[in-house]
């Protein structure tokens, strides 16, 4: 005869297992797509140099300035910690970052050949802004799960679960990077730059739709009280 306590513990383990699988799905997709970002970026310089006839000095300035949104990662982290969207403060930001990336790469893919350097610079800035917001959201989930104490006997026997999660996301990122470089090297001479931009834009769009279909409460993240941005800045 099974006791009610045993049934309750079994239910907790099943719920935690489902949340863990869903979280790994979100993080695995997020980190692998971010690693795959090298796929369109491999052809950006060729597109600017050969397609838009951008001179080398302007090309270097453009590519360097496109990385400026990455500098604001600490600010994005403060905002996501403090500003909740429909009771969620990680998944909506990941989805928003994926949306910005999809919007920018698809816009570049369908733009006419007469697109101005200024316009494509805006698109690349938006792409990196979205990527940095998504990375902050993904990293925050991993950090929160690393600080979460085990909630059951089953998990207490696995003290390295947070380390396993970190290993999992780094492997996902590495697999995405290897696949992006490999496929980029293969298709760079076989497909047009716009086709490669379109492919990645559709991939990030898929990530966006998958992410918005998931509720953050189903991931089993620890519930943290919202802290105002002013308080966080003062503590910082």
């Amino acid at each position: 005869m099974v006791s009610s306590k045993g049934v309750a513990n079994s239910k907790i383990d099943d719920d935690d297992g489902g949340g863990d699988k869903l979280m790994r799905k979100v993080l695995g997709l997020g980190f692998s797509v971010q690693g795959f970002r090298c796929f369109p970026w491999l052809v950006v310089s060729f597109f600017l140099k050969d397609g838009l006839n951008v001179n080398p000095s302007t090309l270097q300035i453009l590519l360097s300035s496109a990385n400026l949104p990455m500098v604001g990662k600490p600010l994005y982290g403060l905002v996501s910690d403090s500003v909740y969207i429909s009771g969620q403060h990680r998944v909506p930001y990941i989805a928003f970052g994926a949306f910005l990336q999809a919007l920018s790469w698809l816009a570049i893919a369908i733009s006419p050949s007469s697109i101005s350097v200024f316009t494509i610079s805006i698109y690349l800035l938006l792409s990196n802004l979205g990527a940095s917001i998504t990375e902050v959201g993904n990293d925050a989930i991993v950090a929160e799960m690393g600080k979460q104490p085990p909630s059951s006997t089953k998990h207490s026997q696995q003290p390295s679960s947070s380390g396993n999660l970190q290993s999992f996301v780094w492997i996902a990122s590495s697999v995405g990077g290897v696949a992006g470089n490999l496929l980029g090297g293969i298709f760079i001479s076989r497909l047009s730059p716009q086709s490669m931009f379109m492919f990645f834009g559709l991939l990030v769009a898929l990530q966006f739709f998958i992410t918005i279909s998931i509720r953050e409460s189903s991931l089993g993240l620890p519930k943290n009280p919202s802290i105002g941005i002013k308080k966080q800045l003062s503590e910082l």
Side-chain angles (χ1 to χ4, degrees):
M1 185 175 181
V2 181
S3 65
S4 59
K5 182 178 180 180
V7 173
N9 288 336
S10 176
K11 187 177 186 302
I12 291 174
D13 289 343
D14 291 342
D15 292 342
D16 290 344
D20 182 68
K21 290 180 181 179
L22 190 58
M23 178 179 60
R24 285 177 179 266
K25 175 183 177 181
V26 172
L27 293 178
L29 177 63
F31 277 87
S32 59
V33 169
Q34 292 308 302
F36 197 75
R37 287 180 63 239
C38 57
F39 178 79
W41 278 100
L42 278 175
V43 76
V44 165
S45 58
F46 294 99
F47 174 70
L48 293 173
K49 180 175 64 71
D50 300 330
L52 301 182
N53 298 318
V54 178
N55 62 66
S57 60
T58 304
L59 176 63
Q60 289 299 319
I61 294 174
L62 193 156
L63 294 178
S64 298
S65 61
N67 290 320
L68 288 176
M70 297 294 181
V71 180
K73 281 186 175 183
L75 177 61
Y76 313 147
L78 290 176
V79 173
S80 66
D81 286 339
S82 307
V83 181
Y84 283 62
I85 302 175
S86 299
Q88 307 175 92
H89 70 135
R90 301 303 180 202
V91 171
Y93 290 96
I94 296 175
F96 179 65
F99 173 77
L100 287 181
Q101 292 182 80
L103 178 66
S104 58
W105 288 113
L106 291 176
I108 296 175
I110 64 176
S111 294
S113 56
S114 59
I115 182 175
S116 66
V117 176
F118 175 77
T119 302
I120 197 171
S121 299
I122 297 299
Y123 289 149
L124 293 177
L125 282 170
L126 282 177
S127 171
N128 277 341
L129 175 61
S132 58
I133 293 174
T134 299
E135 289 177 5
V136 167
N138 288 327
D139 291 339
I141 291 179
V142 176
E144 287 188 359
M145 294 306 299
K147 295 185 295 184
Q148 185 177 17
S151 58
S152 65
T153 303
K154 178 181 177 180
H155 288 91
S156 64
Q157 296 173 355
Q158 298 178 349
S160 61
S161 58
S162 61
N164 291 338
L165 182 60
Q166 290 180 343
S167 300
F168 169 76
V169 297
W170 279 110
I171 290 173
S173 178
S174 299
V175 169
V178 171
N181 281 294
L182 178 62
L183 294 177
I186 293 174
F187 292 119
I188 195 170
S189 59
R190 303 183 182 184
L191 297 176
S192 66
Q194 287 86 348
S195 298
M196 297 178 69
F197 298 152
M198 178 67 71
F199 177 80
F200 184 74
L202 293 175
L203 178 63
V204 186
L206 176 63
Q207 180 193 7
F208 166 73
F209 286 113
I210 292 177
T211 303
I212 62 174
S213 67
I214 296 173
R215 292 293 300 176
E216 191 169 302
S217 57
S218 62
L219 302 181
L221 295 177
K223 297 184 181 299
N224 299 320
S226 178
I227 303 175
I229 294 180
K230 291 183 178 180
K231 184 177 180 181
Q232 284 197 335
L233 289 174
S234 64
E235 292 178 354
L236 183 63

